[in-house]
Amino acid sequence: MSAFPLAFFVVWAIVQSGVLRIGDTTGLVAGMLIALILGMLFAKGSWKNYANTIFEGMTRRVAATAVVAWLWAGMFAETIQVGGFVDGLVWAADAAGIGASVFPAATFILAALLATGIGTGYGTTVAFTTLFFPAGILIGANPVLLFGAILSGAVFGDNLAPVSDTTIVSAVTQDSDIGGVVASRFKYAVLAAVIAFVGYLVAGASMQGFDVAGQEDLLAAASEPAGLLHLLSMLVVIGTAVAGRHIIEAISWGIIVAFIFNVVFGLASVSDMVVFNAPENLDIAQSLAVLPFVELVDAGSTGVGGSFYSGAQGFFPLIVLVLLIVAGAQIMIRGGGFQAIQDWLLESVATTVRRAEITMVFGTALVNAMITINTAAEIAIGPYIARLGERFNINGYRRANILDANTAALGYIFPWSGGVLVGFAVIQDLPEQYDWFTQAMVVNPADVVLYVFHGWVLVIVFLLAALTGFGLEYTSDRESEEVERL
């Protein structure tokens, strides 16, 4: 019965996201809250112990580390976006003269570049469905293939980016340093990316799109080469993290560089990154209005804004959800649920290293099929993967890679997953923004499943790795050197 809270939440997530097609993180938070309340009714012994177990789970360092890193990553992502980085990518694609058949493949590479830099597949999906999707349709690219390419790029970044929430969680839950994890999974990510890129080239040449005139106007409106300066901001974060420095330090340097570039090169104003909207009838506010981060507004519009604020704010629902899921997992651990499942799997299923890794692959796939937020799914299954891997002395890097590959991939494949639904929501609004964009161009989430090439190849690569032992490392082969700093 200690599994009841998580089991109830999984059913809630399936009904909300899979059946009713509601992609709402706050709704999942409500589901987990109700699950924890109902779980109390089945507690053995004191309800006070049950309540204290919830606090114990929510204050675990694995959750706190991820939460802090997400806040930093959110600020960095928003800061380079207000600096016009996506506009710079649009300009580069237009200047290269990319046609309809090559556009999906190019979109996959550029989306992967952005997602790797900002560490958020959701943010990449929103940006590229807003800008690249209509541009590609104008050029003549196939809508379903183009949407699949955008999701594939998001998968790449979520899986490989040092500042990605899934990368952070997979590393921390397996007691491994983030830089080492990124370096160890690079060969798998690149192999899957090469295969996916070729797939988009082949499919792009055979799948026809819509004939729409006027792509020059759209590309001209969203093109600004100066935004490409933020490639250096991304490289600072990636290079610092891979070099083994603390992830907070790496992202902080990226934020500092991005802030300086925005101000020095006029990519964004100080108020675009942080602003105090003070009431205009306040005397002290009027005297401080000379500062670049103070603006006078109507009394009803006061508040704090800018990329730093919005970047951190965007993670708040996910942070709450993750803390509650960790609490549910802690209840299952204290109640013996995880131990019972682990004992059964060790005795009956995962009796060898190969079977253990296969169990990891299918276990993460199953959890991600039911929980629509990939990070939440990773938090839920992460402790189990750690215990199973430790039983067979499987290296933490290897465990983290198996865990993150499925989590990053399937979070953008299932039609009810958060990554797909956030892009679909943007596409649905495009007919209202462009007169030429018709309902026939709107992609149904169920239609794109087979075209998220990078996601599928990544899952297959790790399934084959588990079956063949390719890339297998044991604890004695290599040990993490950065766990203490995390």
Side-chain angles (χ1 to χ4, degrees):
M1 291 309 299
S2 65
F4 176 82
L6 283 182
F8 180 91
F9 172 73
V10 167
V11 174
W12 179 291
I14 292 175
V15 173
Q16 175 188 311
S17 303
V19 178
L20 300 179
R21 303 292 184 91
I22 302 174
D24 183 0
T25 305
T26 306
L28 296 177
V29 170
M32 195 63 218
L33 284 170
I34 294 173
L36 292 171
I37 293 173
L38 295 177
M40 182 181 65
L41 303 178
F42 299 97
K44 181 179 179 180
S46 171
W47 284 351
K48 181 179 180 180
N49 291 336
Y50 179 89
N52 285 333
T53 303
I54 293 178
F55 279 97
E56 181 182 350
M58 295 183 72
T59 55
R60 287 182 61 191
R61 185 160 184 170
V62 60
T65 302
V67 166
V68 172
W70 289 340
L71 295 175
W72 261 253
M75 290 190 292
F76 175 69
E78 287 293 322
T79 301
I80 70 170
Q81 286 196 31
V82 299
F85 181 63
V86 175
D87 291 345
L89 295 178
V90 172
W91 174 86
D94 183 35
I98 297 174
S101 61
V102 183
F103 198 90
T107 298
F108 163 59
I109 295 299
L110 294 173
L113 179 64
L114 177 62
T116 302
I118 67 177
T120 165
Y122 286 3
T124 299
T125 301
V126 171
F128 271 69
T129 48
T130 301
L131 297 172
F132 270 64
F133 190 82
I137 301 305
L138 278 174
I139 291 175
N142 182 274
V144 176
L145 187 65
L146 185 55
F147 190 25
I150 293 172
L151 295 174
S152 284
V155 171
F156 184 94
D158 250 4
N159 176 238
L160 192 62
V163 296
S164 166
D165 48 2
T166 60
T167 300
I168 294 166
V169 172
S170 67
V172 174
T173 57
Q174 306 309 309
D175 289 331
S176 299
D177 62 288
I178 295 173
V181 164
V182 171
S184 66
R185 74 179 45 156
F186 185 78
K187 56 181 178 292
Y188 304 107
V190 171
L191 173 61
V194 170
I195 296 174
F197 179 76
V198 174
Y200 285 118
L201 287 177
V202 174
S206 58
M207 298 176 65
Q208 300 298 316
F210 293 86
D211 292 328
V212 181
Q215 82 266 21
E216 294 85 0
D217 294 336
L218 180 62
L219 292 174
S223 296
E224 177 54 56
L228 290 177
L229 283 170
H230 281 304
L231 283 172
L232 296 177
S233 303
M234 294 195 323
L235 290 175
V236 167
V237 174
I238 296 172
T240 308
V242 172
R245 308 304 291 269
H246 196 289
I247 189 62
I248 298 302
E249 178 184 351
I251 304 176
S252 294
W253 280 115
I255 293 173
I256 292 171
V257 172
F259 181 89
I260 293 174
F261 280 4
N262 283 344
V263 174
V264 172
F265 295 101
L267 301 176
S269 65
V270 173
S271 62
D272 288 330
M273 293 175 281
V274 58
V275 60
F276 295 92
N277 294 311
E280 57 185 0
N281 58 355
L282 186 64
D283 291 339
I284 190 171
Q286 295 175 2
S287 61
L288 294 176
V290 295
L291 299 175
F293 49 83
V294 176
E295 293 185 0
L296 301 179
V297 297
D298 295 335
S301 303
T302 59
V304 179
S307 62
F308 293 164
Y309 171 82
S310 60
Q313 182 190 40
F315 284 93
F316 291 165
L318 180 59
I319 287 171
V320 175
L321 176 61
V322 166
L323 292 176
L324 293 174
I325 289 178
V326 173
Q330 189 69 15
I331 289 172
M332 193 171 176
I333 292 173
R334 291 296 183 190
F338 269 120
Q339 187 63 47
I341 294 174
Q342 178 182 341
D343 292 343
W344 176 76
L345 289 172
L346 290 176
E347 295 173 2
S348 306
V349 180
T351 54
T352 65
V353 173
R354 178 178 297 179
R355 289 185 177 182
E357 291 200 330
I358 293 174
T359 302
M360 292 180 190
V361 172
F362 284 106
T364 54
L366 177 62
V367 171
N368 278 275
M370 295 184 293
I371 303 178
T372 61
I373 306 299
N374 52 11
T375 308
E378 195 168 73
I379 285 287
I381 194 65
Y384 162 72
I385 297 297
R387 285 171 172 77
L388 182 60
E390 289 169 357
R391 170 66 175 79
F392 292 93
N393 293 318
I394 298 174
N395 192 280
Y397 293 142
R398 174 76 164 186
R399 302 194 309 263
N401 290 339
I402 293 176
L403 172 62
D404 195 33
N406 281 311
T407 299
L410 298 176
Y412 297 90
I413 290 178
F414 294 120
W416 57 86
S417 63
V420 176
L421 293 179
V422 72
F424 176 63
V426 174
I427 294 176
Q428 278 185 307
D429 292 336
L430 292 179
E432 300 178 3
Q433 299 179 29
Y434 304 102
D435 294 335
W436 53 266
F437 201 105
T438 66
Q439 286 296 329
M441 300 175 184
V442 176
V443 179
N444 189 305
D447 295 336
V448 78
V449 171
L450 298 178
Y451 296 95
V452 189
F453 294 160
H454 183 72
W456 283 116
V457 174
L458 201 60
V459 171
I460 294 172
V461 164
F462 274 94
L463 179 58
L464 292 177
L467 289 170
T468 63
F470 172 73
L472 174 62
E473 287 185 307
Y474 293 98
T475 303
S476 58
D477 294 331
R478 177 167 52 153
E479 296 183 1
S480 174
E481 299 178 355
E482 306 293 333
V483 175
E484 290 299 325
R485 276 188 260 184
L486 287 173

